[in-house]
Amino acid sequence: MPRQENTHEKILDTALNLLAQNGYKGTSIKDITDQVGLTKAAFYAHFKNKSQLLGTLIEAYETGYIDKLIQRVDEQTGNAIDKLHRLISFSSGVGLQYQKSAILFYSLSEDLKAGEDIEPIRLRCSRKLEAFLVDLFDQGKSQGLVRKDIDSTMLVHLTISFSRGMFKQAVDNASRIDGMEYVRTFRKVFFQGIKAE
Amino acid sequence: MPRQENTHEKILDTALNLLAQNGYKGTSIKDITDQVGLTKAAFYAHFKNKSQLLGTLIEAYETGYIDKLIQRVDEQTGNAIDKLHRLISFSSGVGLQYQKSAILFYSLSEDLKAGEDIEPIRLRCSRKLEAFLVDLFDQGKSQGLVRKDIDSTMLVHLTISFSRGMFKQAVDNASRIDGMEYVRTFRKVFFQGIKAE
Amino acid sequence: MPRQENTHEKILDTALNLLAQNGYKGTSIKDITDQVGLTKAAFYAHFKNKSQLLGTLIEAYETGYIDKLIQRVDEQTGNAIDKLHRLISFSSGVGLQYQKSAILFYSLSEDLKAGEDIEPIRLRCSRKLEAFLVDLFDQGKSQGLVRKDIDSTMLVHLTISFSRGMFKQAVDNASRIDGMEYVRTFRKVFFQGIKAE
Amino acid sequence: MPRQENTHEKILDTALNLLAQNGYKGTSIKDITDQVGLTKAAFYAHFKNKSQLLGTLIEAYETGYIDKLIQRVDEQTGNAIDKLHRLISFSSGVGLQYQKSAILFYSLSEDLKAGEDIEPIRLRCSRKLEAFLVDLFDQGKSQGLVRKDIDSTMLVHLTISFSRGMFKQAVDNASRIDGMEYVRTFRKVFFQGIKAE
DNA sequence: GATGAATGAGTGTTCATTCAT
DNA sequence: TATGAATGAACACTCATTCAT
């Protein structure tokens, strides 16, 4: 993901790394500019404030990952299970580039107070993905591929729960866990778990 | 969980609430003592520092929840699946009292920098639970109840991923999600997902 | 006006001097605490913020000067002109202690943006004094002592205009102007200017 | 006062408005250039620094208003009282264009620290006007039109006090006070107040 | 145990100013 | 003339922590 052409991008890159690692409250403007090689003041020539920096990063996640995910999964044919498989493939493929963005995104609600004006963006992203998934599970049910005794909405929360946990877990245990093996395990358990008899 | 007998306990109670809600960095000593009705200085008559307060809370989680969970699940008879069911029941039963502790616990790695000296405690807890679960899944496999094509360690990470995600999700969507229904959904998907053919 | 008993008062005293001299924007917390011999942080143990400090000073001006002025002028007998004379005497007597407060008060509207939440207090003080003066001039008219061809409200604005100008002028030319002589001049011109034929 | 021909003038116009409204400390270069539609850097192609901008504006007030005032009042015949009336007429006529300049001028001493190198210009203006007025009052006395029991210098300070207060008052109460009515009131009180028996 | 008063280090943010282009 | 990018110094304010009482 080398896009370090100009200062603006350098700040975004550095910030994403630090924010994903230390959280919003745990990352100071100075931390970021020190690493980029700037003074704190220079930061404010590029971003209105710390909150706007976060907003920019989340919106990049939205357009660069979430929107693309939905688009790619939908543009090809296949049944709901095929689509879910593609979704997981996309997540663990293209998604890798956005791993840090995802971690940042999922940490937002914890650092809640930090980005009060970020909340709308966060909600928009959440709702977008949730709606898409509910639809997918409903399709799966009407195609007779997904068991009907579980509520689609609950299934979505389950899926997202897992997804957010996975990212955290991956970071915390980065050295001990093989990511690909992890995704394979998830696939097996999840698809057997939801499939209709 | 009313243990407000003395100031010490009052501080712990209040701190747990605030820390679970706003994170370590997002909670100041003043926030805590204000709510308890003390001055900041009084805090230091009870705890060496902020970090020690966190340590105390995590250790309470360890002995009050993790240790008890392991003990209860093991003390009764039954096969691995029975035990896993008991584990989930315990989590969503007794565990409710410790919901805030769990949220705090799972948020630790995000607030990493906050409690550098907390890391040993956190690791001990993680390893303890992981070892117990690996054992459980291995038992399940040798009892022919759990599919053998998935690595036990990965399965543990999957389980914990879900668990941590669940707590966060539960908090973020507290108003929108019915906790019990959620656990039921998890049970269905999870047990069908891991059971041997 | 030596009330330097404790830190709180010391801050107020020092702040009043600096604020009257350099204005709200021109006076930093550090300026104040440096002169008192404290760190910036100590300031915040005594005042919520800079704005509250200003508020405290203005309210001290209100109760210590304005309210007392009105009370003293009214409590004694005499006609409107007697009262106006007493008012001027009070201003240039007791008022001397409050000279800096008055300067600060009159500078508020210039530093408008500084104390957005100060505006209510400022307005209350203004209105209080204005109402009192309008009344006084009206009395003067009905007693046949003040010329009736001038609007009382305008006369009040004129009086206050002069008053605020006087304070500023007194500061700017402190070394060149004899305050008492100045007040005498004002008395002569003003009373001859407003008296009925 | 539309002189927006070139950027230089545009900056001066905008700056005058903002400075009169928010004071020297309350007006940033960015405030000015934003409103003009320039970058901050561009400002420095036109003015050496913020202080020089202020100097330019004050000097414009000097030549455009003070000098002209003195000239107009003197060039016509009439006694001292006639001249004082002309002075007031000029102030409230031509002076209207320079109202903002006057406000800025009178606010200088408050924002003292702002323009250390402005002080000479400010003093020159003050002295110029004071000298002119002292002369006028002295003429008035020798013409038997102005009472002799008051010191001319004090009378000047009184006049200027009023004048500066009037500008501030006019701004603070812009919506509540009728300017012309105000000037009429001043005329009545002032001329009766100073006239010889 | 608890308080009031204080501190040093830090946070996010603004501002006047510079300079290569 | 104008810009984009940068800086150093300042600012208001917060926080964990200390200490005498």
Side-chain angles (χ1 to χ4, degrees):
Chain A
M1 208 175 1
R3 44 173 187 184
Q4 322 271 54
E5 297 139 335
N6 55 51
T7 302
H8 193 88
E9 299 297 320
K10 247 188 253 177
I11 292 176
L12 282 172
D13 270 13
T14 309
L16 179 56
N17 280 326
L18 291 172
L19 288 170
Q21 216 167 83
N22 308 322
Y24 188 78
K25 294 235 179 70
T27 307
S28 72
I29 305 291
K30 193 173 180 299
D31 288 342
I32 297 167
T33 50
D34 273 3
Q35 205 167 104
V36 176
L38 287 172
T39 53
K40 264 191 299 173
F43 172 87
Y44 290 91
H46 294 276
F47 299 92
K48 211 185 127 239
N49 50 35
K50 199 184 174 185
S51 185
Q52 198 216 42
L53 167 70
L54 182 57
T56 305
L57 286 170
I58 298 301
E59 277 171 344
Y61 174 68
E62 186 183 15
T63 56
Y65 177 66
I66 298 185
D67 289 348
K68 223 157 264 170
L69 171 89
I70 292 174
Q71 185 191 326
R72 292 285 161 82
V73 169
D74 255 355
E75 76 189 358
Q76 288 171 262
T77 53
N79 62 35
I81 295 296
D82 292 335
K83 285 184 175 176
L84 277 168
H85 272 293
R86 269 211 304 279
L87 185 143
I88 293 168
S89 298
F90 187 89
S91 295
S92 52
V94 176
L96 269 188
Q97 299 183 295
Y98 284 91
Q99 193 178 10
K100 276 170 187 160
S101 304
I103 290 163
L104 179 56
F105 177 74
Y106 284 132
S107 79
L108 279 190
S109 39
E110 283 136 39
D111 254 327
L112 172 95
K113 281 196 176 152
E116 212 97 318
D117 35 330
I118 295 301
E119 199 53 13
I121 310 181
R122 195 187 70 85
L123 266 177
R124 193 177 59 216
C125 291
S126 291
R127 302 290 180 248
K128 206 183 270 189
L129 195 57
E130 285 175 27
F132 179 68
L133 283 170
V134 167
D135 221 52
L136 216 49
F137 285 120
D138 280 344
Q139 280 174 39
K141 285 182 189 171
S142 65
Q143 290 165 354
L145 300 168
V146 172
R147 44 195 293 194
K148 298 205 172 76
D149 62 331
I150 47 177
D151 182 64
S152 293
T153 304
M154 282 299 164
L155 212 40
V156 168
H157 287 303
L158 202 69
T159 313
I160 290 174
S161 274
F162 166 77
S163 172
R164 94 190 291 173
M166 178 183 74
F167 279 117
K168 277 298 169 194
Q169 199 72 2
V171 172
D172 293 0
N173 301 288
S175 49
R176 301 165 49 227
I177 298 184
D178 173 352
M180 285 302 109
E181 171 70 14
Y182 190 75
V183 172
R184 263 194 302 279
T185 305
F186 172 60
R187 255 189 232 263
K188 286 179 194 165
V189 174
F190 185 69
F191 284 101
Q192 184 181 312
I194 64 164
K195 80 155 185 272
E197 296 304 295
Chain B
M1 209 173 2
R3 45 174 185 186
Q4 322 268 45
E5 299 137 337
N6 54 52
T7 303
H8 193 87
E9 299 297 319
K10 246 189 251 175
I11 293 176
L12 283 172
D13 267 15
T14 310
L16 178 57
N17 278 326
L18 291 173
L19 288 170
Q21 213 168 87
N22 307 321
Y24 188 77
K25 294 242 176 65
T27 307
S28 71
I29 304 292
K30 194 174 180 299
D31 288 342
I32 297 166
T33 51
D34 272 6
Q35 207 165 104
V36 175
L38 287 172
T39 54
K40 265 188 297 172
F43 172 87
Y44 290 88
H46 294 274
F47 299 92
K48 212 188 123 231
N49 50 35
K50 199 184 176 186
S51 186
Q52 201 216 41
L53 166 71
L54 181 58
T56 305
L57 287 169
I58 298 301
E59 279 170 344
Y61 175 66
E62 187 183 13
T63 58
Y65 178 67
I66 297 185
D67 289 349
K68 221 156 266 171
L69 170 89
I70 292 174
Q71 188 190 323
R72 294 284 161 81
V73 169
D74 255 354
E75 75 189 1
Q76 290 172 260
T77 53
N79 61 35
I81 295 296
D82 292 335
K83 287 185 175 176
L84 278 168
H85 271 293
R86 270 211 304 280
L87 186 143
I88 293 168
S89 296
F90 186 89
S91 295
S92 52
V94 177
L96 268 188
Q97 298 185 297
Y98 283 90
Q99 193 177 12
K100 273 168 188 162
S101 304
I103 289 163
L104 179 56
F105 177 73
Y106 284 132
S107 79
L108 280 189
S109 40
E110 282 135 39
D111 253 329
L112 174 93
K113 276 191 178 159
E116 213 96 320
D117 36 330
I118 293 303
E119 198 53 13
I121 310 180
R122 194 187 71 85
L123 266 176
R124 192 175 62 218
C125 292
S126 291
R127 302 293 179 245
K128 206 182 271 190
L129 195 57
E130 285 176 26
F132 178 69
L133 283 171
V134 167
D135 222 51
L136 215 52
F137 285 120
D138 280 343
Q139 281 175 38
K141 282 182 189 171
S142 65
Q143 291 165 354
L145 299 168
V146 172
R147 45 196 292 197
K148 299 205 172 75
D149 63 331
I150 48 177
D151 182 62
S152 293
T153 305
M154 283 301 166
L155 212 40
V156 169
H157 287 304
L158 203 67
T159 312
I160 291 175
S161 275
F162 165 78
S163 174
R164 97 187 293 170
M166 178 184 72
F167 279 115
K168 276 300 166 195
Q169 199 73 1
V171 172
D172 294 358
N173 301 289
S175 51
R176 301 165 49 225
I177 299 184
D178 172 353
M180 286 303 108
E181 170 72 12
Y182 192 70
V183 172
R184 263 194 302 280
T185 307
F186 172 60
R187 256 189 231 263
K188 285 180 196 165
V189 174
F190 186 69
F191 285 101
Q192 182 181 313
I194 64 165
K195 80 154 186 272
E197 298 302 296
Chain C
M1 209 176 358
R3 43 172 184 182
Q4 324 270 56
E5 299 138 334
N6 54 51
T7 303
H8 193 87
E9 297 298 321
K10 243 188 255 177
I11 292 175
L12 281 172
D13 269 12
T14 309
L16 179 56
N17 279 327
L18 290 172
L19 288 170
Q21 215 168 82
N22 307 321
Y24 188 77
K25 294 232 179 75
T27 307
S28 72
I29 304 293
K30 194 173 180 297
D31 288 342
I32 297 166
T33 51
D34 273 3
Q35 205 166 107
V36 175
L38 287 172
T39 54
K40 264 189 298 171
F43 171 88
Y44 290 92
H46 295 275
F47 299 93
K48 211 187 126 237
N49 49 37
K50 200 185 174 184
S51 185
Q52 199 216 43
L53 167 71
L54 182 58
T56 305
L57 287 170
I58 297 301
E59 277 171 345
Y61 175 67
E62 186 183 14
T63 58
Y65 178 67
I66 298 186
D67 289 348
K68 221 157 265 169
L69 170 89
I70 292 174
Q71 184 191 325
R72 293 285 160 81
V73 169
D74 254 354
E75 77 190 357
Q76 289 172 263
T77 53
N79 61 35
I81 295 295
D82 292 335
K83 287 184 174 177
L84 278 169
H85 272 294
R86 267 208 309 277
L87 186 143
I88 293 168
S89 297
F90 187 89
S91 297
S92 53
V94 176
L96 267 190
Q97 297 184 295
Y98 285 89
Q99 193 178 10
K100 275 170 187 161
S101 304
I103 290 163
L104 179 55
F105 177 73
Y106 284 132
S107 79
L108 279 191
S109 40
E110 282 135 39
D111 253 329
L112 172 94
K113 282 198 176 149
E116 211 95 319
D117 35 331
I118 295 301
E119 197 54 13
I121 309 180
R122 195 188 70 85
L123 265 177
R124 193 178 59 218
C125 292
S126 291
R127 302 289 179 248
K128 206 182 269 189
L129 196 56
E130 284 175 27
F132 179 69
L133 283 171
V134 167
D135 220 52
L136 215 50
F137 284 120
D138 280 343
Q139 280 175 37
K141 284 183 189 170
S142 65
Q143 290 165 355
L145 300 168
V146 171
R147 44 196 292 199
K148 299 204 172 76
D149 64 331
I150 47 179
D151 181 63
S152 293
T153 304
M154 283 298 166
L155 212 39
V156 169
H157 288 302
L158 203 69
T159 312
I160 291 175
S161 275
F162 166 79
S163 174
R164 95 189 293 171
M166 177 184 73
F167 278 116
K168 277 298 167 192
Q169 199 72 3
V171 172
D172 294 359
N173 302 288
S175 50
R176 299 165 49 225
I177 298 184
D178 172 353
M180 286 303 107
E181 171 70 14
Y182 191 71
V183 172
R184 264 195 301 280
T185 307
F186 173 61
R187 256 188 229 265
K188 286 181 194 164
V189 174
F190 186 69
F191 284 101
Q192 183 181 313
I194 64 164
K195 81 154 187 272
E197 296 305 293
Chain D
M1 207 175 1
R3 44 173 184 185
Q4 323 268 45
E5 299 138 338
N6 53 51
T7 304
H8 193 87
E9 298 297 320
K10 247 189 252 176
I11 293 175
L12 283 171
D13 266 14
T14 310
L16 179 56
N17 279 326
L18 291 172
L19 288 169
Q21 212 167 85
N22 307 322
Y24 188 76
K25 293 240 176 64
T27 307
S28 71
I29 304 292
K30 194 173 180 299
D31 288 342
I32 298 166
T33 50
D34 272 5
Q35 206 166 105
V36 175
L38 286 173
T39 54
K40 266 189 295 172
F43 172 87
Y44 290 89
H46 294 274
F47 299 93
K48 209 186 125 234
N49 50 36
K50 199 184 175 185
S51 186
Q52 200 215 45
L53 165 71
L54 181 58
T56 305
L57 285 170
I58 298 303
E59 279 171 342
Y61 175 66
E62 186 183 14
T63 57
Y65 178 67
I66 298 185
D67 289 350
K68 220 157 268 171
L69 171 88
I70 293 173
Q71 186 190 324
R72 292 285 161 82
V73 169
D74 255 354
E75 76 188 0
Q76 289 172 261
T77 54
N79 62 33
I81 295 296
D82 293 336
K83 286 183 176 179
L84 277 169
H85 271 294
R86 267 210 306 279
L87 185 142
I88 292 168
S89 297
F90 187 89
S91 296
S92 52
V94 176
L96 267 189
Q97 299 184 296
Y98 283 89
Q99 194 178 11
K100 276 170 187 161
S101 305
I103 290 164
L104 179 56
F105 177 73
Y106 284 132
S107 79
L108 280 190
S109 38
E110 283 136 37
D111 254 329
L112 175 93
K113 275 192 178 161
E116 212 95 319
D117 36 329
I118 295 301
E119 199 52 15
I121 308 181
R122 194 188 71 85
L123 266 176
R124 191 177 61 218
C125 291
S126 290
R127 303 291 178 248
K128 206 182 269 190
L129 194 57
E130 286 175 26
F132 179 69
L133 282 170
V134 168
D135 221 53
L136 215 51
F137 285 119
D138 280 344
Q139 281 176 38
K141 284 181 189 170
S142 66
Q143 290 166 356
L145 299 168
V146 172
R147 45 197 290 198
K148 298 207 173 71
D149 63 332
I150 46 177
D151 181 63
S152 294
T153 304
M154 283 299 164
L155 212 40
V156 168
H157 287 303
L158 203 68
T159 313
I160 291 175
S161 274
F162 165 79
S163 174
R164 94 187 293 170
M166 176 184 72
F167 278 115
K168 276 299 166 193
Q169 200 73 3
V171 172
D172 294 359
N173 302 290
S175 51
R176 299 165 51 225
I177 299 184
D178 172 352
M180 286 303 107
E181 171 70 15
Y182 191 73
V183 171
R184 263 194 301 279
T185 305
F186 172 60
R187 257 189 230 263
K188 285 181 194 163
V189 174
F190 186 69
F191 284 102
Q192 182 179 313
I194 63 166
K195 81 155 186 272
E197 294 306 293

